[in-house]
Amino acid sequence: QVQLVESGGGPVQSGHSLRLSCVASGFRLSYWAVGWFRQAPGKEREGIACIDTNDDKYYAESVKGRFTISRDNAKNTVYLEMNDLKSDDTAAYYCATTLSPPPKTGWGSPTPNRAFGSWGQGTLVTVSL
């Protein structure tokens, strides 16, 4: 059974860090591009980071320099290291995969959503002042 499971979310104070994990089961994640997305209350889901099968990375401007996406193929896991968290980062965070080359532009908007097929159930990040 193909499945993605996110974890690592929770409440955190502004300026602090969290690391989210996206663990795949039923398939080899190393063959797929993986994106991280988030959806804040009342807003559309937006793509914020992506790592392709060559380990090229794409980020939304709003998280560039603060968030880092990486993969550990031995653990079949993709991570999102989030530093210097802000209240605007409060959202449900999702990972998703695509076998196609991911979009290189549009990160920071809902545009990349349609390129990704398999989605996890999400993990909630709440950043307080």
Side-chain angles (χ1 to χ4, degrees):
Q1 183 179 359
V2 173
Q3 192 174 19
L4 292 170
V5 178
E6 303 95 334
S7 63
V12 63
Q13 289 187 318
S14 179
H16 288 214
S17 301
L18 280 176
R19 187 177 76 164
L20 305 183
S21 299
C22 172
V23 179
S25 58
F27 66 105
R28 294 290 297 172
L29 202 55
S30 59
Y31 297 148
W32 298 66
V34 180
W36 278 99
F37 301 77
R38 67 184 181 187
Q39 187 168 18
K43 295 187 177 180
E44 283 189 88
R45 186 177 300 183
E46 64 175 0
I48 58 171
C50 177
I51 185 167
D52 68 15
T53 55
N54 295 319
D55 282 354
D56 291 328
K57 303 169 186 178
Y58 311 98
Y59 294 98
E61 283 299 320
S62 61
V63 306
K64 197 174 290 185
R66 299 188 299 124
F67 291 12
T68 302
I69 189 170
S70 63
R71 60 166 85 229
D72 184 336
N73 292 333
K75 295 183 178 181
N76 220 25
T77 301
V78 168
Y79 300 102
L80 186 68
E81 184 76 34
M82 306 188 296
N83 298 316
D84 190 23
L85 283 160
K86 307 176 187 303
S87 57
D88 287 348
D89 296 318
T90 293
Y93 284 72
Y94 302 86
C95 62
T97 60
T98 178
L99 272 177
S100 300
K104 296 181 179 180
T105 60
W107 294 94
S109 79
T111 299
N113 292 354
R114 58 178 176 260
F116 289 78
S118 298
W119 292 80
Q121 85 293 341
T123 185
L124 185 61
V125 174
T126 304
V127 184
S128 59
L129 295 173

